[in-house]
Amino acid sequence: MDIILGLCAASVTVLMFCWAFGAHRRAVPAGWTLWPGASMLTCVALTMLAPLSLGLFVRAAMAPARVVETFNWEAALVAVALMALAAILGPVLIRPARSGARPTVVSAVAAPVATA
């Protein structure tokens, strides 16, 4: 069961990261990204979920017999669904950050132009 929980936590972490990264890096950031509390809460949640999934993977590797004994098909189907959702929806959520619509920064100091 630990490996299934680890897969679920890892999938949720990927989905959350793609959602937050896309919201922060799009041309006009989402309103909640400008509020420090929401951004900090998102970072803390990501910081807690990633080690949790890694810890569950390590725990499953340390006791493989327990993983086999506690295997549950319903939970495995949920984990597979979350992994598929992360694989399909992750790129869609991160797409606003990859679009070329980001505003360009113009320097206040003009570069010298050479005249011939």
Side-chain angles (χ1 to χ4, degrees), residues 1-3 55-71:
M1 190 69 170
D2 292 332
I3 197 154
L56 287 166
F57 290 143
V58 169
R59 185 175 169 185
M62 295 298 221
R66 183 179 53 213
V67 172
V68 173
E69 289 173 2
T70 60
F71 185 78

PDB file of all heavy atoms in Angstrom, residues 1-3 55-71:
ATOM      1  N   MET A   1       0.813  -1.187   0.000  1.00  0.00           N
ATOM      2  CA  MET A   1       0.000   0.000   0.000  1.00  0.00           C
ATOM      3  C   MET A   1       0.864   1.263   0.000  1.00  0.00           C
ATOM      4  O   MET A   1       0.443   2.290  -0.515  1.00  0.00           O
ATOM      5  CB  MET A   1      -0.918  -0.044   1.230  1.00  0.00           C
ATOM      6  CG  MET A   1      -1.963   1.004   1.230  1.00  0.00           C
ATOM      7  SD  MET A   1      -3.162   0.706  -0.046  1.00  0.00           S
ATOM      8  CE  MET A   1      -4.383   1.868   0.351  1.00  0.00           C
ATOM      9  N   ASP A   2       2.066   1.153   0.571  1.00  0.00           N
ATOM     10  CA  ASP A   2       2.934   2.324   0.626  1.00  0.00           C
ATOM     11  C   ASP A   2       3.325   2.812  -0.764  1.00  0.00           C
ATOM     12  O   ASP A   2       3.377   4.017  -1.005  1.00  0.00           O
ATOM     13  CB  ASP A   2       4.204   2.015   1.428  1.00  0.00           C
ATOM     14  CG  ASP A   2       3.904   1.795   2.898  1.00  0.00           C
ATOM     15  OD1 ASP A   2       2.906   2.366   3.383  1.00  0.00           O
ATOM     16  OD2 ASP A   2       4.659   1.063   3.548  1.00  0.00           O
ATOM     17  N   ILE A   3       3.590   1.893  -1.669  1.00  0.00           N
ATOM     18  CA  ILE A   3       3.990   2.311  -3.008  1.00  0.00           C
ATOM     19  C   ILE A   3       2.824   2.970  -3.744  1.00  0.00           C
ATOM     20  O   ILE A   3       3.005   3.924  -4.495  1.00  0.00           O
ATOM     21  CB  ILE A   3       4.581   1.144  -3.812  1.00  0.00           C
ATOM     22  CG1 ILE A   3       5.350   1.690  -4.999  1.00  0.00           C
ATOM     23  CG2 ILE A   3       3.519   0.179  -4.269  1.00  0.00           C
ATOM     24  CD1 ILE A   3       6.436   0.789  -5.473  1.00  0.00           C
ATOM     25  N   GLY A  55       9.507   9.266   0.813  1.00  0.00           N
ATOM     26  CA  GLY A  55       9.532   8.437   2.018  1.00  0.00           C
ATOM     27  C   GLY A  55       8.673   7.188   1.895  1.00  0.00           C
ATOM     28  O   GLY A  55       9.051   6.111   2.368  1.00  0.00           O
ATOM     29  N   LEU A  56       7.527   7.333   1.246  1.00  0.00           N
ATOM     30  CA  LEU A  56       6.675   6.154   1.035  1.00  0.00           C
ATOM     31  C   LEU A  56       7.324   5.159   0.078  1.00  0.00           C
ATOM     32  O   LEU A  56       7.207   3.942   0.271  1.00  0.00           O
ATOM     33  CB  LEU A  56       5.306   6.590   0.528  1.00  0.00           C
ATOM     34  CG  LEU A  56       4.412   7.258   1.580  1.00  0.00           C
ATOM     35  CD1 LEU A  56       3.233   7.946   0.913  1.00  0.00           C
ATOM     36  CD2 LEU A  56       3.948   6.250   2.600  1.00  0.00           C
ATOM     37  N   PHE A  57       8.033   5.657  -0.930  1.00  0.00           N
ATOM     38  CA  PHE A  57       8.760   4.755  -1.837  1.00  0.00           C
ATOM     39  C   PHE A  57       9.860   4.008  -1.089  1.00  0.00           C
ATOM     40  O   PHE A  57      10.037   2.802  -1.270  1.00  0.00           O
ATOM     41  CB  PHE A  57       9.374   5.525  -3.005  1.00  0.00           C
ATOM     42  CG  PHE A  57       8.376   6.047  -3.992  1.00  0.00           C
ATOM     43  CD1 PHE A  57       8.565   7.272  -4.592  1.00  0.00           C
ATOM     44  CD2 PHE A  57       7.248   5.324  -4.332  1.00  0.00           C
ATOM     45  CE1 PHE A  57       7.656   7.761  -5.505  1.00  0.00           C
ATOM     46  CE2 PHE A  57       6.336   5.800  -5.237  1.00  0.00           C
ATOM     47  CZ  PHE A  57       6.537   7.025  -5.833  1.00  0.00           C
ATOM     48  N   VAL A  58      10.597   4.717  -0.238  1.00  0.00           N
ATOM     49  CA  VAL A  58      11.677   4.079   0.525  1.00  0.00           C
ATOM     50  C   VAL A  58      11.098   3.056   1.500  1.00  0.00           C
ATOM     51  O   VAL A  58      11.624   1.947   1.645  1.00  0.00           O
ATOM     52  CB  VAL A  58      12.519   5.146   1.266  1.00  0.00           C
ATOM     53  CG1 VAL A  58      13.460   4.515   2.255  1.00  0.00           C
ATOM     54  CG2 VAL A  58      13.279   5.989   0.258  1.00  0.00           C
ATOM     55  N   ARG A  59       9.990   3.413   2.153  1.00  0.00           N
ATOM     56  CA  ARG A  59       9.362   2.476   3.085  1.00  0.00           C
ATOM     57  C   ARG A  59       8.880   1.217   2.360  1.00  0.00           C
ATOM     58  O   ARG A  59       9.004   0.105   2.876  1.00  0.00           O
ATOM     59  CB  ARG A  59       8.200   3.168   3.782  1.00  0.00           C
ATOM     60  CG  ARG A  59       7.566   2.326   4.833  1.00  0.00           C
ATOM     61  CD  ARG A  59       6.512   3.089   5.571  1.00  0.00           C
ATOM     62  NE  ARG A  59       5.758   2.158   6.402  1.00  0.00           N
ATOM     63  CZ  ARG A  59       4.712   2.471   7.092  1.00  0.00           C
ATOM     64  NH1 ARG A  59       4.271   3.708   7.080  1.00  0.00           N
ATOM     65  NH2 ARG A  59       4.089   1.573   7.798  1.00  0.00           N
ATOM     66  N   ALA A  60       8.352   1.382   1.151  1.00  0.00           N
ATOM     67  CA  ALA A  60       7.918   0.222   0.373  1.00  0.00           C
ATOM     68  C   ALA A  60       9.109  -0.628  -0.047  1.00  0.00           C
ATOM     69  O   ALA A  60       9.020  -1.858  -0.083  1.00  0.00           O
ATOM     70  CB  ALA A  60       7.137   0.674  -0.855  1.00  0.00           C
ATOM     71  N   ALA A  61      10.229   0.006  -0.349  1.00  0.00           N
ATOM     72  CA  ALA A  61      11.417  -0.744  -0.749  1.00  0.00           C
ATOM     73  C   ALA A  61      12.028  -1.503   0.431  1.00  0.00           C
ATOM     74  O   ALA A  61      12.633  -2.556   0.241  1.00  0.00           O
ATOM     75  CB  ALA A  61      12.450   0.202  -1.344  1.00  0.00           C
ATOM     76  N   MET A  62      11.864  -0.971   1.634  1.00  0.00           N
ATOM     77  CA  MET A  62      12.432  -1.625   2.812  1.00  0.00           C
ATOM     78  C   MET A  62      11.635  -2.853   3.247  1.00  0.00           C
ATOM     79  O   MET A  62      12.186  -3.745   3.883  1.00  0.00           O
ATOM     80  CB  MET A  62      12.503  -0.635   3.983  1.00  0.00           C
ATOM     81  CG  MET A  62      13.440   0.500   3.719  1.00  0.00           C
ATOM     82  SD  MET A  62      15.094  -0.095   3.508  1.00  0.00           S
ATOM     83  CE  MET A  62      15.998   1.111   4.379  1.00  0.00           C
ATOM     84  N   ALA A  63      10.359  -2.884   2.937  1.00  0.00           N
ATOM     85  CA  ALA A  63       9.524  -4.011   3.345  1.00  0.00           C
ATOM     86  C   ALA A  63       8.626  -4.437   2.184  1.00  0.00           C
ATOM     87  O   ALA A  63       7.427  -4.172   2.189  1.00  0.00           O
ATOM     88  CB  ALA A  63       8.696  -3.629   4.563  1.00  0.00           C
ATOM     89  N   PRO A  64       9.204  -5.102   1.189  1.00  0.00           N
ATOM     90  CA  PRO A  64       8.393  -5.486   0.031  1.00  0.00           C
ATOM     91  C   PRO A  64       7.305  -6.506   0.360  1.00  0.00           C
ATOM     92  O   PRO A  64       6.271  -6.539  -0.299  1.00  0.00           O
ATOM     93  CB  PRO A  64       9.407  -6.057  -0.951  1.00  0.00           C
ATOM     94  CG  PRO A  64      10.631  -6.322  -0.170  1.00  0.00           C
ATOM     95  CD  PRO A  64      10.591  -5.457   1.037  1.00  0.00           C
ATOM     96  N   ALA A  65       7.503  -7.308   1.390  1.00  0.00           N
ATOM     97  CA  ALA A  65       6.480  -8.293   1.760  1.00  0.00           C
ATOM     98  C   ALA A  65       5.212  -7.601   2.241  1.00  0.00           C
ATOM     99  O   ALA A  65       4.100  -8.024   1.926  1.00  0.00           O
ATOM    100  CB  ALA A  65       7.009  -9.222   2.839  1.00  0.00           C
ATOM    101  N   ARG A  66       5.380  -6.511   2.983  1.00  0.00           N
ATOM    102  CA  ARG A  66       4.216  -5.751   3.461  1.00  0.00           C
ATOM    103  C   ARG A  66       3.467  -5.121   2.288  1.00  0.00           C
ATOM    104  O   ARG A  66       2.247  -5.038   2.289  1.00  0.00           O
ATOM    105  CB  ARG A  66       4.669  -4.674   4.447  1.00  0.00           C
ATOM    106  CG  ARG A  66       3.499  -3.896   5.030  1.00  0.00           C
ATOM    107  CD  ARG A  66       3.928  -2.846   6.021  1.00  0.00           C
ATOM    108  NE  ARG A  66       4.941  -1.991   5.428  1.00  0.00           N
ATOM    109  CZ  ARG A  66       5.931  -1.437   6.110  1.00  0.00           C
ATOM    110  NH1 ARG A  66       6.050  -1.661   7.389  1.00  0.00           N
ATOM    111  NH2 ARG A  66       6.809  -0.656   5.521  1.00  0.00           N
ATOM    112  N   VAL A  67       4.209  -4.692   1.255  1.00  0.00           N
ATOM    113  CA  VAL A  67       3.577  -4.098   0.080  1.00  0.00           C
ATOM    114  C   VAL A  67       2.710  -5.128  -0.630  1.00  0.00           C
ATOM    115  O   VAL A  67       1.585  -4.843  -1.044  1.00  0.00           O
ATOM    116  CB  VAL A  67       4.645  -3.525  -0.880  1.00  0.00           C
ATOM    117  CG1 VAL A  67       4.024  -3.083  -2.179  1.00  0.00           C
ATOM    118  CG2 VAL A  67       5.385  -2.380  -0.222  1.00  0.00           C
ATOM    119  N   VAL A  68       3.214  -6.342  -0.733  1.00  0.00           N
ATOM    120  CA  VAL A  68       2.462  -7.408  -1.398  1.00  0.00           C
ATOM    121  C   VAL A  68       1.243  -7.803  -0.576  1.00  0.00           C
ATOM    122  O   VAL A  68       0.162  -8.031  -1.126  1.00  0.00           O
ATOM    123  CB  VAL A  68       3.379  -8.619  -1.677  1.00  0.00           C
ATOM    124  CG1 VAL A  68       2.591  -9.792  -2.198  1.00  0.00           C
ATOM    125  CG2 VAL A  68       4.484  -8.233  -2.635  1.00  0.00           C
ATOM    126  N   GLU A  69       1.402  -7.875   0.738  1.00  0.00           N
ATOM    127  CA  GLU A  69       0.297  -8.275   1.612  1.00  0.00           C
ATOM    128  C   GLU A  69      -0.839  -7.259   1.608  1.00  0.00           C
ATOM    129  O   GLU A  69      -2.004  -7.629   1.697  1.00  0.00           O
ATOM    130  CB  GLU A  69       0.790  -8.452   3.047  1.00  0.00           C
ATOM    131  CG  GLU A  69       1.667  -9.652   3.259  1.00  0.00           C
ATOM    132  CD  GLU A  69       2.254  -9.672   4.660  1.00  0.00           C
ATOM    133  OE1 GLU A  69       1.940  -8.778   5.475  1.00  0.00           O
ATOM    134  OE2 GLU A  69       3.033 -10.600   4.940  1.00  0.00           O
ATOM    135  N   THR A  70      -0.504  -5.991   1.542  1.00  0.00           N
ATOM    136  CA  THR A  70      -1.524  -4.944   1.668  1.00  0.00           C
ATOM    137  C   THR A  70      -1.952  -4.378   0.316  1.00  0.00           C
ATOM    138  O   THR A  70      -2.579  -3.319   0.268  1.00  0.00           O
ATOM    139  CB  THR A  70      -0.991  -3.796   2.542  1.00  0.00           C
ATOM    140  OG1 THR A  70       0.174  -3.245   1.937  1.00  0.00           O
ATOM    141  CG2 THR A  70      -0.705  -4.275   3.952  1.00  0.00           C
ATOM    142  N   PHE A  71      -1.626  -5.063  -0.771  1.00  0.00           N
ATOM    143  CA  PHE A  71      -1.987  -4.557  -2.097  1.00  0.00           C
ATOM    144  C   PHE A  71      -3.500  -4.513  -2.238  1.00  0.00           C
ATOM    145  O   PHE A  71      -4.209  -5.447  -1.870  1.00  0.00           O
ATOM    146  CB  PHE A  71      -1.387  -5.440  -3.194  1.00  0.00           C
ATOM    147  CG  PHE A  71      -1.631  -4.911  -4.572  1.00  0.00           C
ATOM    148  CD1 PHE A  71      -0.884  -3.862  -5.063  1.00  0.00           C
ATOM    149  CD2 PHE A  71      -2.633  -5.448  -5.364  1.00  0.00           C
ATOM    150  CE1 PHE A  71      -1.110  -3.365  -6.340  1.00  0.00           C
ATOM    151  CE2 PHE A  71      -2.863  -4.960  -6.634  1.00  0.00           C
ATOM    152  CZ  PHE A  71      -2.107  -3.913  -7.123  1.00  0.00           C
TER     153      PHE A  71
END
